[in-house]
Amino acid sequence: MFRQKNNPVPTQGELMQASTRRITLCGLMLTAIAGMTGCTTADNGSAKASQAATAALAANSPFAQVSSLPYNMPPFDRIKDSDYKPAFEAGMAQQRQEARAIATNSAAPSFDNTIVAMERSGQMLSRVSEVFFNLVSANTSPELDQTQQEMAPKLADHKDAIFLDPQLFARVEQLYQQRSSLGLDPESLRLLERYRTEFVRAGARLSAADKDQLRKLNQQISSLTTQFQQTLLKANNDGAVIVDRQADLDGLTPEQISAAAQAASSRKLDGKWLIALQNTTDQPLLAQLKNRQLRERLYTASITRANGGSDDNVAGVAQIVKLRAQRAALLGYPSHAAYELEDETAGTPDAVNRMLAQLAPPAAANARKEAAAIQQVIDRQAKASHAKPFKLQPWDWAFYSEQVRKSRYNFDESQIKPYFELNNVLQNGVFYAAQQLYGISFKERTDLPVYQKDVRVFEVFDQDGSPLALFLFDPFARDNKQGGAWMNSYVPQSRLFGTKPVVSNNINIVKPPAGKPVLLTFDEVNTMFHEFGHALHGMFSSVQYPMFSGASVPPDFVEYPSQFNEMWSHNPQVLAHYAKHYKTGKPMPRALVNKVLAARKFNAGFETSEYLAAAMLDQAWHQLPAGQTPAAKDVMAFEAKTLQAASSGDGYVVPPRYHTQYFQHIFANGYAAGYYAYIWSDVLAKDTEHWMDTHGGLKRANGDLLRAKVLSRGFSADPSAQFKDFYGRGPEVEPLLEARGLTGVTK
């Protein structure tokens, strides 16, 4: 997942399209504006105001100036929790002054003194935002949580102060109306058009009274989504399952049992074992635990977290959905989904509904077949042991599915995990595939400061040996880290500022006790390749303007490079290079490799169905019009009704990947009405995988073309046009249907 819209600040590079977004405004530095066409005394006044705001920070603030570290990497060793709030306040003051300088500039609007000026400002606010909102997800603390709560409504108000400024919008609108006569290059023209679009979508054409109402809604929504995120982290921690007897952990490896004991000890629960919750409905250890009662406890803890009690998110969801629908109506849209999808590749809720409805029936049919095979195993084992048979339940699926896999393909996860050691997968798998395809190379840097001891830093070099980027890798789960996996940017690439990318991948792998190897499931291996696809999108960025940098595209395109990059996890050449036994170094036997590859479609009905159920739930929440959203007491009933309808009334075979109260993607991370993006993007990814296979696979010419046509372009061109430019035509659904075992479905 690419972390999106978790930052309410208008930030550089991915304005209202992705996580750290900045509207950059004129007059940041005298040296930057000295040669700008149309800058007048107003610009100089803005520069002085900018300098004053910077001086207002303590001399030793790590955010007052651009970092002097390589690639402007944040100086994590100098940053204290107490540094963020004053930097936010000074950064907002600076940016507002810069915005007013543009709005009141006595010179006629020009592309340079208005649009480029907006790209140039907000540097201090961007520096603090890019660090803060990344760390509040990856390595939070009570003080950071408190700062986030305080800043959320202020930052929302700050964004509105810029986008709802009528003088500033008037300058943008004037240039937009003159755009055909300005002689702009394609990227500059797109920048002007995007600014105008963002202003309009932010409410710039509303009446003064409606703008006031919009400001209130934005502040409330910002506060509520922040609260959702923080409550969920607490619910995940509080919902951990405590086990009193080691015998109940039968089925886990000694390393996993030791890790559970260590996790319990870290919470002063010596003599017990702790199973932490991952941020999905299905929990990884359900596939191994033999104790059915413990499986049920773990599953129940998963689906009931954040529903009632001190960690309740249900009431907050009701408010978020209500306020989003009201905001959409105020902006002239029938629903929040209609508002969001207008600016994404899909275009409309109807287009998304059609796609989901097309895929759900065959996925459910496959899942029912999988369930029938599992039930046969349950019944056969019950008969053999003279026990009473039971009906398959959600907490049984992973455990017995693994047995079906073993019997069908003659292997299980325990046989392959010794071949997937974390560092080997990273360096000889993830990095190796990128080296072969794009010609880039990696060197670990231990001389640069990190925010947590397990974080690793790699310098990335281009095919000609020149410096390209820094890559931060944060692999392990922690109590103060959000669940899931994601990519973030600390420094976005931009030729305007001469910056190179600093990006990170965050994963939540359970860390084993000291001295023990980190052995991965194949799903975790796939996640590493997926997230690195996002990282490549950020690192290969080659654009002029920060707004277009890296993975700043809509959600239903941003997942395309990441899902495509998954193909290399199971590519025979790449797999042979990294699938080596952690003790002996011997490669995975060819027979076992063939079994792993043959099993790729196994359980696809379950996996597709759980995803589609969540995507439909997202659409159901956000296609509600204002005045028709449920009260808090009716939230879970609405969810149940939605899931029942999504399964054509015959009961959903598998639960959704996320239930409402822990659906962080849509209530905290910017995928509201956009969770469908994964399968929409996967159409493009599977087309690209098919193209690669038919054009020679893992070779430089293929990588260079994809990089030139897609990965380097960010949002500087229409995403659909980027794909067609690479693929030669529009997307085709057949490769996706084949990959998911859904052949026979028509477009």
Side-chain angles (χ1 to χ4, degrees):
M1 179 187 79
F2 178 74
R3 180 79 71 192
Q4 295 204 312
K5 297 181 186 173
N6 61 346
N7 177 2
V9 187
T11 56
Q12 166 196 324
E14 299 161 0
L15 178 63
M16 298 187 63
Q17 290 294 333
S19 61
T20 47
R21 303 170 181 241
R22 179 175 73 213
I23 177 172
T24 51
L25 299 172
C26 183
L28 173 63
M29 297 176 292
L30 286 170
T31 54
I33 66 172
M36 288 174 54
T37 303
C39 280
T40 67
T41 54
D43 300 306
N44 291 328
S46 174
K48 292 177 181 177
S50 172
Q51 292 171 339
T54 304
L57 284 182
N60 62 349
S61 170
F63 301 112
Q65 303 295 335
V66 175
S67 170
S68 60
L69 291 175
Y71 299 83
N72 306 129
M73 178 179 171
F76 293 113
D77 56 336
R78 292 180 51 218
I79 299 172
K80 304 183 298 295
D81 286 356
S82 58
D83 290 325
Y84 292 107
K85 184 176 178 180
F88 270 125
E89 291 174 342
M92 285 188 286
Q94 179 191 75
Q95 191 171 34
R96 288 202 191 193
Q97 291 166 332
E98 293 164 347
R100 289 307 302 149
I102 298 172
T104 60
N105 192 339
S106 59
S110 71
F111 181 74
D112 282 339
N113 73 15
T114 302
I115 304 302
V116 174
M118 287 192 284
E119 284 290 274
R120 286 188 177 276
S121 88
Q123 297 297 295
M124 188 196 311
L125 183 57
S126 180
R127 286 193 294 272
V128 63
S129 298
E130 284 158 349
V131 176
F132 178 82
F133 286 103
N134 289 340
L135 293 193
V136 83
S137 294
N139 203 53
T140 195
S141 69
E143 188 168 353
L144 290 189
D145 289 345
Q146 181 60 36
T147 298
Q148 187 181 22
Q149 289 176 347
E150 290 182 32
M151 290 295 108
K154 293 181 180 179
L155 290 167
D157 183 65
H158 170 72
K159 188 183 91 168
D160 286 338
I162 295 170
F163 280 108
L164 301 182
D165 185 329
Q167 288 179 287
L168 192 56
F169 176 59
R171 295 179 71 88
V172 174
E173 180 69 13
Q174 182 175 333
L175 290 169
Y176 177 78
Q177 297 300 330
Q178 300 170 349
R179 63 192 184 281
S180 61
S181 62
L182 297 178
L184 300 176
D185 63 81
E187 186 177 341
S188 296
L189 177 60
R190 182 168 175 81
L191 183 69
L192 169 58
E193 292 172 343
R194 286 305 306 173
Y195 263 106
R196 197 264 186 176
T197 295
E198 303 300 349
F199 269 91
V200 171
R201 286 177 53 77
R205 295 193 293 192
L206 295 178
S207 68
D210 284 347
K211 285 180 179 179
D212 286 342
Q213 178 63 18
L214 181 63
R215 290 186 183 96
K216 294 176 183 177
L217 290 170
N218 286 338
Q219 289 177 16
Q220 291 175 285
I221 292 169
S222 181
S223 295
L224 286 165
T225 54
T226 295
Q227 180 181 329
F228 182 99
Q229 178 186 11
Q230 294 181 355
T231 300
L232 179 55
L233 179 58
K234 186 174 183 296
N236 286 341
N237 290 331
D238 292 346
V241 173
I242 309 302
V243 180
D244 295 324
R245 301 189 314 149
Q246 182 173 336
D248 291 341
L249 298 175
D250 188 19
L252 303 189
T253 65
E255 291 79 12
Q256 288 172 318
I257 293 172
S258 180
Q262 183 173 295
S265 179
S266 69
R267 299 195 191 184
K268 303 187 186 306
L269 296 170
D270 295 331
K272 298 183 184 297
W273 293 263
L274 183 145
I275 302 175
L277 294 181
Q278 300 293 314
N279 198 45
T280 50
T281 295
D282 197 39
Q283 298 296 306
L285 295 188
L286 290 173
Q288 297 173 251
L289 289 168
K290 294 181 180 180
N291 186 311
R292 189 167 188 250
Q293 288 183 327
L294 181 54
R295 291 203 307 270
E296 183 176 1
R297 277 185 63 201
L298 179 57
Y299 177 81
T300 301
S302 176
I303 66 170
T304 58
R305 69 186 125 160
N307 185 357
S310 61
D311 300 337
D312 181 62
N313 262 337
V314 174
V317 163
Q319 282 296 104
I320 292 170
V321 171
K322 175 183 176 181
L323 296 174
R324 282 175 174 170
Q326 290 177 352
R327 181 174 62 184
L330 188 64
L331 291 167
Y333 295 86
S335 67
H336 184 71
Y339 169 76
E340 289 286 352
L341 295 173
E342 177 192 62
D343 203 40
E344 297 182 12
T345 309
T348 66
D350 285 346
V352 174
N353 292 343
R354 285 195 301 271
M355 186 266 291
L356 297 178
Q358 175 186 9
L359 297 175
N366 283 0
R368 280 190 286 271
K369 292 178 183 177
E370 293 163 2
I374 291 173
Q375 190 66 54
Q376 288 178 358
V377 172
I378 293 172
D379 294 344
R380 186 167 58 247
Q381 291 183 2
K383 183 177 180 180
S385 62
H386 304 288
K388 183 179 180 180
F390 55 84
K391 183 178 180 181
L392 170 67
Q393 297 296 327
W395 52 87
D396 300 314
W397 191 294
F399 181 74
Y400 287 99
S401 175
E402 192 60 27
Q403 295 184 41
V404 173
R405 184 213 302 266
K406 185 175 182 178
S407 65
R408 188 172 296 175
Y409 300 100
N410 196 27
F411 82 94
D412 59 24
E413 286 283 2
S414 66
Q415 292 174 266
I416 64 174
K417 286 181 70 173
Y419 294 95
F420 297 146
E421 188 274 326
L422 175 66
N423 187 61
N424 200 47
V425 172
L426 178 67
Q427 305 229 36
N428 292 315
V430 175
F431 288 174
Y432 169 76
Q435 290 166 343
Q436 297 300 303
L437 193 61
Y438 305 110
I440 59 178
S441 58
F442 303 83
K443 178 183 178 182
E444 188 157 12
R445 298 283 300 262
T446 58
D447 59 321
L448 296 174
V450 292
Y451 56 84
Q452 204 275 343
K453 63 181 181 179
D454 292 324
V455 177
R456 300 170 68 181
V457 182
F458 295 86
E459 187 169 12
V460 187
F461 298 93
D462 215 335
Q463 50 194 261
D464 61 358
S466 61
L468 179 67
L470 283 183
F471 171 67
L472 280 63
F473 182 57
D474 185 351
F476 298 123
R478 297 184 289 274
D479 283 350
N480 66 342
K481 185 179 184 181
Q482 293 292 332
W486 66 93
M487 171 269 198
N488 267 336
S489 171
Y490 285 98
V491 180
Q493 177 273 334
S494 164
R495 288 194 295 273
L496 185 69
F497 293 125
T499 52
K500 295 181 182 296
V502 178
V503 303
S504 68
N505 276 176
N506 298 268
I507 303 173
N508 273 276
I509 297 166
V510 176
K511 186 178 181 180
K516 299 294 184 180
V518 185
L519 304 181
L520 309 179
T521 67
F522 194 61
D523 283 345
E524 289 169 334
V525 170
N526 204 57
T527 295
M528 287 178 61
F529 278 87
H530 176 102
E531 296 305 331
F532 197 70
H534 285 310
L536 288 171
H537 204 183
M539 292 190 292
F540 284 154
S541 177
S542 181
V543 298
Q544 176 72 8
Y545 301 110
M547 181 189 284
F548 298 145
S549 181
S552 57
V553 295
D556 55 7
F557 194 78
V558 79
E559 296 298 335
Y560 158 43
S562 58
Q563 290 182 278
F564 154 71
N565 204 61
E566 293 177 17
M567 77 169 286
W568 306 118
S569 69
H570 54 262
N571 174 272
Q573 177 183 339
V574 180
L575 190 60
H577 200 263
Y578 75 85
K580 297 181 179 180
H581 199 282
Y582 77 98
K583 286 184 178 179
T584 66
K586 292 183 178 180
M588 182 183 288
R590 171 52 57 184
L592 185 55
V593 170
N594 290 339
K595 292 173 184 177
V596 170
L597 296 178
R600 282 180 54 212
K601 296 180 186 177
F602 178 75
N603 216 32
F606 176 94
E607 293 171 357
T608 303
S609 293
E610 67 160 0
Y611 163 77
L612 291 173
M616 291 177 174
L617 184 59
D618 171 30
Q619 290 301 315
W621 279 121
H622 291 109
Q623 289 183 23
L624 289 170
Q628 297 185 28
T629 61
K633 64 182 179 63
D634 299 320
V635 163
M636 301 315 295
F638 177 85
E639 178 192 87
K641 182 179 179 181
T642 297
L643 294 173
Q644 183 74 1
S647 64
S648 302
D650 62 350
Y652 48 93
V653 179
V654 293
R657 187 172 297 174
Y658 303 97
H659 279 286
T660 294
Q661 75 275 12
Y662 53 90
F663 204 163
Q664 181 168 265
H665 281 74
I666 68 171
F667 292 117
N669 285 345
Y671 276 65
Y675 193 65
Y676 77 94
Y678 288 92
I679 205 160
W680 191 280
S681 294
D682 207 22
V683 172
L684 310 182
K686 293 302 184 288
D687 281 349
T688 302
E689 183 172 347
H690 175 73
W691 185 95
M692 287 281 173
D693 287 340
T694 58
H695 286 78
L698 194 69
K699 65 179 186 179
R700 282 286 306 283
N702 291 343
D704 289 347
L705 184 65
L706 183 63
R707 178 177 176 177
K709 300 294 187 180
V710 177
L711 297 179
S712 65
R713 303 193 69 185
F715 201 30
S716 65
D718 177 73
S720 296
Q722 291 183 39
F723 179 79
K724 289 180 182 178
D725 193 25
F726 164 74
Y727 194 56
R729 58 180 180 272
E732 300 175 317
V733 75
E734 284 75 15
L736 171 72
L737 301 179
E738 171 64 25
R740 291 179 177 258
L742 302 178
T743 51
V745 181
T746 58
K747 292 183 181 179

